[in-house]
């Protein structure tokens, strides 16, 4: 390994659910995009046998898959895939099928990466997709990656953030029912996510960019005609944020806010619930977006798509989002301590 390579951020790439496209897109990224190695060192946290099978399925030589005992052993050599084995082999898992062993493995890969990050052995985490049904079948009842990561790092204030270019969409709630999301959009949560978004903007040197809050109800409640939450919860939260020195605006009707954000008027946006943020983001950006967890002590960036069981093993899955995730993690990792400390100072951790 060259000295220049040794100075690059070391990223743990978790393999996700091995019955899905995670192994395939990971293999494609590491086999065909050597320019990425000039931005980061990458070590796969997963399964050697599964990675060899993925490489073979793409017509490659499985001998390029090399097992390492610790992240520091990764050489970043082009044409190799370096894997830290996390648990027993999952070679028996069939592609495209829900499997509890695969679900258990996907969680184990993440918890292993988190342990390595806590120990200072990796500088960031990049995650391929997991399957919630498989994860739950294995007894891991987490709603998704974000909540599992927050648990592993013992943080209470965090947010799933969708990002493309310089647009960041924070989510006040994520993997809960719509009925539950409405209940969870409460004063305490809105204060916390506004502070989190404000601290993130500040850490990026963009404290002069306002945080725009999407209305919960149609037309942001239309003066109470379509619900009182916007006036009773969101408006006071925005006013409190401004009083604390966080530039904030809203609530703004979501059907007006998101088109404005896509056109560049807003860089930092808060969506009140999962589909309010995800649906317009995915419609516009598709594979050009990534998922960042803000509020963790280490940078974590993920693909913005699922396990795609229907195309697993067919060789047609696109690695674009995973590459973007690795590039974004490599970009953010060197300054992430500042992001974390700023967020912790404003939110209480």
């Amino acid at each position: 390994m060259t000295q220049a390579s040794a100075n690059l951020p070391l990223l743990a790439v978790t393999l996700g659910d091995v019955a899905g496209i995670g192994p395939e897109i990971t293999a494609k990224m590491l086999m065909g995009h050597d320019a990425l190695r000039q931005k980061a060192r990458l070590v796969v946290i997963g399964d050697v046998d599964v990675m060899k099978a993925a490489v073979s399925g793409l017509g490659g030589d499985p001998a390029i898959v090399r097992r390492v005992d610790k992240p520091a052993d990764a050489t970043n050599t082009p044409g190799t895939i370096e894997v830290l084995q996390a648990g027993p082999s999952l070679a028996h898992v069939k592609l495209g099928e829900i499997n509890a062993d695969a679900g258990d493995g996907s969680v184990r890969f993440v918890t292993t990466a988190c342990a390595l990050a806590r120990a200072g052995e990796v500088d960031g985490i990049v995650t391929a997709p997991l399957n919630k049904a498989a994860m739950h079948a294995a007894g891991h009842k987490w709603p998704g990656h974000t909540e599992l990561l927050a648990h592993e790092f013992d943080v209470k204030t965090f947010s799933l953030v969708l990002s493309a270019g310089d647009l960041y969409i924070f989510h006040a709630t994520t993997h809960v029912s719509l009925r539950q999301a409405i209940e969870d959009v409460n004063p305490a949560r809105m204060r916390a996510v506004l502070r989190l978004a404000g601290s993130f903007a500040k850490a990026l040197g963009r404290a002069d960019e306002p945080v725009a809050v999407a209305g919960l109800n149609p037309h942001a409640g239309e003066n109470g005609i379509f619900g009182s939450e916007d006036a009773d919860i969101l408006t006071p939260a925005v006013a409190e944020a401004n009083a604390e020195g966080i530039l904030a605006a809203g609530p703004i009707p979501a059907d007006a806010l998101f088109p404005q954000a896509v056109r560049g008027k807003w860089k930092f946006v808060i969506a009140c619930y999962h589909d309010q943020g995800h649906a317009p983001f995915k419609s516009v950006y598709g594979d050009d977006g990534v998922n960042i967890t803000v509020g963790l002590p280490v940078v974590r960036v993920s693909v913005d798509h699922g396990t795609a069981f229907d195309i697993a093993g067919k060789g047609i899955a696109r690695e674009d989002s995973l590459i973007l995730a690795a590039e974004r993690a490599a970009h953010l990792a060197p300054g992430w301590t500042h992001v974390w400390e700023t967020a912790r100072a404003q939110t209480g951790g």
Side-chain angles (χ1 to χ4, degrees), residues 71-98:
D73 292 339
T75 64
N76 206 35
T77 303
T80 64
I81 299 176
E82 295 167 307
V83 183
L84 190 153
Q85 183 74 26
S89 171
L90 295 174
H92 63 283
V93 172
K94 293 183 179 179
L95 292 173
E97 298 181 6
I98 293 174

Side-chain angles (χ1 to χ4, degrees), residues 238-303:
V238 168
E240 184 176 342
N242 278 291
E244 293 178 358
I246 300 170
L247 289 181
I252 301 169
D255 59 353
L257 171 57
F258 285 98
Q260 291 172 351
V262 169
R263 291 194 292 267
K265 180 175 180 178
W266 310 105
K267 304 300 184 185
F268 299 93
V269 172
I270 296 177
C272 286
Y273 54 92
H274 183 281
D275 286 7
Q276 186 181 57
H278 278 63
F281 183 88
K282 291 186 175 183
S283 295
V284 174
Y285 298 107
D287 288 341
D288 293 330
V290 296
N291 175 347
I292 306 169
T293 307
V294 174
L296 303 179
V298 64
V299 62
R300 174 264 178 166
V301 188
S302 179
V303 295

Side-chain angles (χ1 to χ4, degrees), residues 3-313:
Q3 183 60 44
S5 182
N7 292 332
L8 295 174
L10 178 52
L11 304 179
V13 181
T14 61
L15 205 50
D17 191 303
V18 300
I21 63 172
E24 179 182 328
I25 61 176
T26 301
K28 285 182 174 180
M29 177 178 73
L30 294 173
M31 290 168 65
H33 299 274
D34 288 343
L36 184 58
R37 298 179 188 270
Q38 298 173 19
K39 301 176 181 179
R41 295 163 59 201
L42 301 111
V43 59
V44 176
I45 311 299
D47 185 271
V48 171
D49 291 334
V50 168
M51 282 308 308
K52 287 184 175 181
V55 170
S56 295
L58 294 170
D61 181 358
I64 70 172
V65 179
R66 171 177 173 261
R67 181 169 178 165
V68 296
D69 293 325
K70 57 183 183 296
D73 292 339
T75 64
N76 206 35
T77 303
T80 64
I81 299 176
E82 295 167 307
V83 183
L84 190 153
Q85 183 74 26
S89 171
L90 295 174
H92 63 283
V93 172
K94 293 183 179 179
L95 292 173
E97 298 181 6
I98 293 174
N99 184 299
D101 288 346
D104 190 52
S106 67
V107 172
R108 185 168 60 250
F109 303 157
V110 173
T111 58
T112 299
C114 291
L116 292 169
R118 291 195 301 269
E121 295 188 51
V122 297
D123 302 309
I125 300 171
V126 177
T127 55
L130 52 72
N131 182 280
K132 295 177 183 62
M135 180 173 65
H136 287 195
H140 305 290
K141 302 301 183 181
W142 301 106
H145 259 129
T146 304
E147 296 81 5
L148 171 59
L149 286 154
H151 170 78
E152 287 298 305
F153 288 107
D154 192 27
V155 298
K156 307 303 181 196
T157 304
F158 56 92
S159 178
L160 181 160
V161 181
L162 298 180
S163 179
D166 57 0
L167 172 63
Y168 299 90
I169 301 177
F170 287 70
H171 286 66
T173 68
T174 50
H175 300 114
V176 295
S177 70
L178 185 55
R179 186 184 303 277
Q180 185 65 49
I182 294 170
E183 294 182 10
D184 290 348
V185 176
N186 55 51
R189 176 55 181 167
M190 293 312 301
R191 283 195 298 269
V193 74
L194 273 159
R195 289 169 181 165
L196 200 61
S199 68
F200 186 64
K202 180 179 179 181
L204 295 182
R206 297 167 61 184
D208 58 341
E209 291 276 1
V211 178
V213 178
L216 174 66
N217 295 301
H219 302 181
E222 192 77 67
N223 296 315
I225 296 174
F226 303 134
S228 61
E229 293 87 356
D230 294 273
D232 293 347
I233 298 171
L234 301 187
T235 297
V238 168
E240 184 176 342
N242 278 291
E244 293 178 358
I246 300 170
L247 289 181
I252 301 169
D255 59 353
L257 171 57
F258 285 98
Q260 291 172 351
V262 169
R263 291 194 292 267
K265 180 175 180 178
W266 310 105
K267 304 300 184 185
F268 299 93
V269 172
I270 296 177
C272 286
Y273 54 92
H274 183 281
D275 286 7
Q276 186 181 57
H278 278 63
F281 183 88
K282 291 186 175 183
S283 295
V284 174
Y285 298 107
D287 288 341
D288 293 330
V290 296
N291 175 347
I292 306 169
T293 307
V294 174
L296 303 179
V298 64
V299 62
R300 174 264 178 166
V301 188
S302 179
V303 295
D304 185 33
H305 60 70
T307 48
F309 277 4
D310 57 323
I311 61 170

